[in-house]
Amino acid sequence: MEKSAKDNLAIPQELSEEAQVKLEVIQTLLEPCDRWSYGERLKAGAQRLGISVRSVQRLFKRYQEEGIAVLTSNARKDKGQHRISEEWSTFILNTYKKGNEGSRRMTPKQVAVRVQVRAQELGDDKAPSYRTVLRVLEPVINNKKKTIRSPGWQGSTLSVKTRDGFDLDISYSNQVWQCDHTPADVLLVDREGKLLGRPWLTTVIDSYSRCIVGINIGFDAPSSQVVALALRHAVLPKQYGAEYKLHCDWGTLGLPQYLFTDGGKDFCSNHLSEIASQLGFVLKLRHRPSEGGIVERPFGTLNTSLFSTLPGYTGSNVQQRPKEAEEDACLTLRQLEELVVRFIVDRYNQGMDARMGDQSRFQRWEAGLPGAPLVLLERELDICLMKQARRQVQRGGYIQFENINYKGENLEGYAGQTVGLRYDPKDITTIWVYRYDKAEGKEVFLTRAHAQGLETEQLTSDDAKASAKRLREKAKTVNNNAILQEVIEREAATKKPTRKQLQKQEQAYRELEPLAVQEKATAEEQMVVENMLIDASDVEVWDLEQMQEDYGW
């Protein structure tokens, strides 16, 4: 004869704490009540047990059928074991191991992203979840876990809200980039030492890693073209010469999935929409100003850690600007750019963020990539990310731009036609020439054009304009060589000696001073001897014996 449910209602002498809580929840459901009260008791029980309402209903049903035995049933025999294939387990362990070799750092969340990408490639719709990845890696993590006194917030997920009510859950690198502008708190001068003012700094930040992936520094006010130049810098691989004195590489590159910005005119322009359409990312606006903390925080770090240490620092409050700020200003735009690049590459991106545990910003960006970042060619970006101008091709295939003569290959056949130019204002010694193709309905790249005689030089558009203006004022011929020579002369005339150079000059002066005094004394003695010789030549010499004989003395 089978046992009835009532036979199973006998309460054992001892119940575990967990079983006792389940029993209390079941007893509340056994009390008579209306439907609304029963629903509220189900919700309260689910919240107390930390399970879903449906799970509470199943527990109560089993209790009615099996009695108290459901509270004392043995745990599952396979509890703690991973119900995944050996291939997935090996992939998870190998990915985590390779991601933490040497100076690299990879978190379980980043491993889970790689698992999802791998599953899409294999067409596997039952890929291991993030919780499964954690269970697989738990023994490895426990073996290498270190005691941290104050680890800070290491949030594995981040979400930002857009103006159209869309929530962006950020879970990997190059998913959401943010862009914003700020005037740098330092005064700059031109090559002649004349005060120019504060430049604008535009930064592009990867939201997942807080890594600065691109910048633009210049005196142009915020516009879609300035945003385009910053994006171009962020998308492309970055190469810098020895003059930047970098110890690390600025290894960030690729394309974002979203560009998250405020609602300024420069971010809502048709130009930026065209760029997003052509490159394949989506523009999203902030729901409220507080959503932009990620991109605004580095501005404060740059001001306090870099700009405040430079000559010409103004501070963030114009009314409290130091009186000596304008007198101390001596940096040019190019010099400031070198300092900013060095600070970002060697210090900021290599620094730790309190929310990232033991990963630097660059390490987190590198580990958070779901796959190899897309590498675009420069020519694919010129038509939408560089400054534009239009000029007419002259005979012989020459083009004149900013009072500089350019020569491009295969341009002779386009003499008399108007072409489009793309150029980088930081270096206009090379420009890119395009022509409009009616059949394709867009501009097509023709060739590069180089400034004649300036192929190995670097010249900004501001320098070229200023040089041409001064040459005209002096009634001199304006050509490529004259502009370059004028820039070099101004640079040499206004270049201030460094403190080390001044110390060397002072030391050399002190070493030469005693020698100069000695030489002066020797010269004076020589002059006295020469004067004595000159005086002696005028003295008449008499013979005493001859005079005695002649005069009978």
Side-chain angles (χ1 to χ4, degrees), residues 157-222:
T157 59
L158 171 68
S159 179
V160 291
K161 194 174 186 63
T162 65
R163 187 172 295 183
D164 56 2
F166 186 66
D167 289 327
L168 289 177
D169 293 327
I170 303 168
S171 56
Y172 55 87
S173 300
N174 284 1
Q175 180 187 5
V176 179
W177 284 0
Q178 300 192 36
C179 182
D180 207 352
H181 321 272
T182 188
D185 291 345
V186 60
L187 295 173
L188 301 183
V189 298
D190 62 7
R191 293 176 181 269
E192 285 190 335
K194 295 181 180 179
L195 192 66
L196 293 177
R198 298 163 63 189
W200 282 92
L201 172 62
T202 303
T203 59
V204 181
I205 310 291
D206 175 57
S207 300
Y208 177 77
S209 62
R210 276 79 167 178
C211 200
I212 299 179
V213 295
I215 62 169
N216 184 73
I217 306 177
F219 290 101
D220 292 334

Side-chain angles (χ1 to χ4, degrees), residues 281-385:
F281 61 84
V282 181
L283 295 175
K284 290 292 183 181
L285 302 180
R286 300 176 193 162
H287 177 62
R288 56 176 64 92
S290 59
E291 300 287 347
I294 290 177
V295 71
E296 293 174 355
R297 183 64 186 88
F299 292 148
T301 303
L302 284 166
N303 280 328
T304 56
S305 301
L306 176 63
F307 296 148
S308 62
T309 65
L310 303 178
Y313 175 66
T314 63
S316 56
N317 192 333
V318 178
Q319 297 179 350
Q320 299 179 0
R321 175 177 296 179
K323 296 181 180 179
E324 63 275 8
E326 297 183 0
E327 299 177 358
D328 293 343
C330 62
L331 293 175
T332 63
L333 182 62
R334 188 178 300 174
Q335 291 172 334
L336 179 66
E337 185 202 13
E338 292 178 3
L339 293 172
V340 170
V341 169
R342 193 182 312 156
F343 179 85
I344 292 174
V345 175
D346 289 344
R347 183 171 174 182
Y348 189 83
N349 284 353
Q350 299 298 328
M352 299 289 181
D353 192 297
R355 293 159 292 196
M356 299 175 191
D358 60 349
Q359 283 183 323
S360 69
R361 294 180 178 91
F362 179 74
Q363 288 174 340
R364 184 172 174 85
W365 177 86
E366 189 177 32
L369 290 172
L374 181 63
V375 181
L376 296 182
L377 300 177
E378 290 190 55
R379 302 291 70 76
E380 297 180 60
L381 300 174
D382 292 342
I383 197 167
C384 60
L385 294 185

Side-chain angles (χ1 to χ4, degrees), residues 16-184:
S16 65
E17 184 177 352
E18 180 182 0
Q20 185 66 39
V21 174
K22 290 181 180 179
L23 182 60
E24 292 174 2
V25 171
I26 291 173
Q27 288 174 346
T28 61
L29 299 176
L30 290 173
E31 298 176 3
C33 60
D34 55 21
R35 181 174 296 182
W36 184 86
S37 299
Y38 183 77
E40 291 298 317
R41 292 177 184 178
L42 278 175
K43 293 179 182 179
Q47 185 175 4
R48 185 176 180 185
L49 296 176
I51 58 179
S52 66
V53 173
R54 181 60 181 159
S55 298
V56 176
Q57 291 175 329
R58 286 195 294 265
L59 176 65
F60 183 60
K61 184 177 180 180
R62 288 185 59 196
Y63 176 80
Q64 289 177 320
E65 295 175 352
E66 303 176 21
I68 200 69
V70 299
L71 304 179
T72 59
S73 60
N74 296 328
R76 283 172 45 183
K77 295 181 179 180
D78 62 346
K79 186 176 182 180
Q81 297 180 3
H82 319 304
R83 294 184 293 175
I84 61 174
S85 65
E86 184 178 351
E87 291 78 5
W88 275 121
S89 179
T90 303
F91 177 82
I92 292 171
L93 292 172
N94 289 342
T95 302
Y96 184 77
K97 182 179 179 181
K98 292 180 180 178
N100 288 277
E101 289 179 347
S103 61
R104 295 182 178 181
R105 294 293 180 270
M106 179 174 286
T107 64
K109 184 70 175 179
Q110 293 162 349
V111 175
V113 173
R114 300 286 179 94
V115 169
Q116 296 299 322
V117 174
R118 179 63 176 167
Q120 292 178 3
E121 295 175 353
L122 298 175
D124 186 354
D125 56 351
K126 295 183 179 180
S129 65
Y130 174 50
R131 291 182 178 274
T132 303
V133 173
L134 280 177
R135 288 196 295 268
V136 174
L137 296 177
E138 186 177 5
V140 181
I141 296 174
N142 290 337
N143 289 337
K144 60 181 296 186
K145 185 178 291 184
K146 298 179 181 179
T147 302
I148 302 176
R149 181 177 179 182
S150 178
W153 179 75
Q154 301 179 30
S156 59
T157 59
L158 171 68
S159 179
V160 291
K161 194 174 186 63
T162 65
R163 187 172 295 183
D164 56 2
F166 186 66
D167 289 327
L168 289 177
D169 293 327
I170 303 168
S171 56
Y172 55 87
S173 300
N174 284 1
Q175 180 187 5
V176 179
W177 284 0
Q178 300 192 36
C179 182
D180 207 352
H181 321 272
T182 188

